Amino acid sequence: MGTVIMHNVVSVDGFIADKNDDVGSLHEWYFSGDTSITEGGDQQYDHSGAGSGFKVSRASAGYVRQMWESIGTIVMGRHFFDLMNGWEGHPPAGDHVVVVSHRPKPEGWHPEASYHFVDSVAAAIDKAQELAGERTVAVCAGDVGGQILAAGLVDEVAMDVVPVVFGSGKRYFGSIDGQHLLEDPHVVIQGDRVLHLRFRVRR
């Protein structure tokens, strides 16, 4: 089975969006550099319709490219799915998406897309690993990500830390209770306006 990595872009005070789901300047580094994430441009990752692709610093490009190419399945909560309308059936990385939700997939929604709706975090990780095989399972941070971490199902925590303070909003780890120890970071990469960190979860 592949590694389960909880991942998101995050402010220095631990928020992934404000209370209205606005990410503010958190994603500006994705578009302010001079290097495409993929060698041939980023059309495969650009589903915004703008066609602009991603341009990051050279240091970030190698890291993000490797991360995105490793992903087989993304796990997300229903709120994020509804907010993004599931990227219209085209996830930014990987081939499959598992949505934790007590409601089924919207009727008639992109039947060709490999999106799977399950009603528990344990079932989500089981399904995601089945679909991903040896590839990475990427868990979106937030309430569902925090629940998956608390359940002991996350192998690594990956944070793209942006130098901005939100003060309040949606927390990276959601409303998780108790302490959860991580190992020292085994990846520390400084990009422009972002610091890439990865920590293994201590067992």
Side-chain angles (χ1 to χ4, degrees):
M1 291 184 294
T3 304
V4 178
I5 300 178
M6 182 176 174
H7 172 252
N8 231 86
V9 182
V10 60
S11 69
V12 293
D13 56 343
F15 295 100
I16 57 176
D18 68 15
K19 63 182 180 180
N20 298 314
D21 295 306
D22 189 339
V23 297
S25 60
L26 284 179
H27 292 178
E28 288 180 0
W29 64 275
Y30 272 126
F31 306 97
S32 61
D34 58 6
T35 306
S36 293
I37 292 172
T38 59
E39 297 292 349
D42 299 315
Q43 287 77 18
Q44 72 186 89
Y45 297 122
D46 182 16
H47 303 295
S48 65
S52 58
F54 295 95
K55 294 278 191 176
V56 299
S57 68
R58 186 171 300 277
S60 290
Y63 172 75
V64 175
R65 182 183 300 131
Q66 184 179 31
M67 168 80 83
W68 286 8
E69 288 177 351
S70 75
I71 294 171
T73 307
I74 292 174
V75 177
M76 65 195 308
R78 184 58 181 256
H79 178 73
F80 190 35
F81 172 85
D82 289 341
L83 186 68
M84 302 298 294
N85 196 28
W87 301 294
E88 298 296 342
H90 299 282
D95 300 314
H96 314 280
V97 174
V98 176
V99 182
V100 181
S101 175
H102 294 297
R103 291 178 285 135
K105 183 190 299 186
E107 187 175 350
W109 185 89
H110 296 286
E112 77 290 351
S114 182
Y115 279 58
H116 307 265
F117 287 62
V118 298
D119 63 2
S120 74
V121 295
I125 296 301
D126 284 346
K127 185 64 176 179
Q129 289 185 317
E130 174 192 327
L131 293 166
E134 296 300 314
R135 299 179 74 192
T136 298
V137 171
V139 174
C140 297
D143 283 328
V144 165
Q147 292 170 32
I148 294 171
L149 177 67
L153 300 173
V154 172
D155 299 311
E156 295 185 22
V157 170
M159 310 176 88
D160 299 322
V161 184
V162 174
V164 60
V165 175
F166 270 41
S168 65
K170 306 294 179 69
R171 291 197 168 276
Y172 182 97
F173 293 102
S175 55
I176 191 171
D177 289 326
Q179 293 189 16
H180 299 267
L181 294 178
L182 309 178
E183 300 294 347
D184 291 337
H186 63 97
V187 173
V188 180
I189 298 173
Q190 183 174 338
D192 292 342
R193 302 296 296 169
V194 64
L195 178 66
H196 307 288
L197 300 172
R198 282 175 67 168
F199 309 82
R200 293 186 179 92
V201 176
R202 182 172 292 182
R203 299 302 186 191

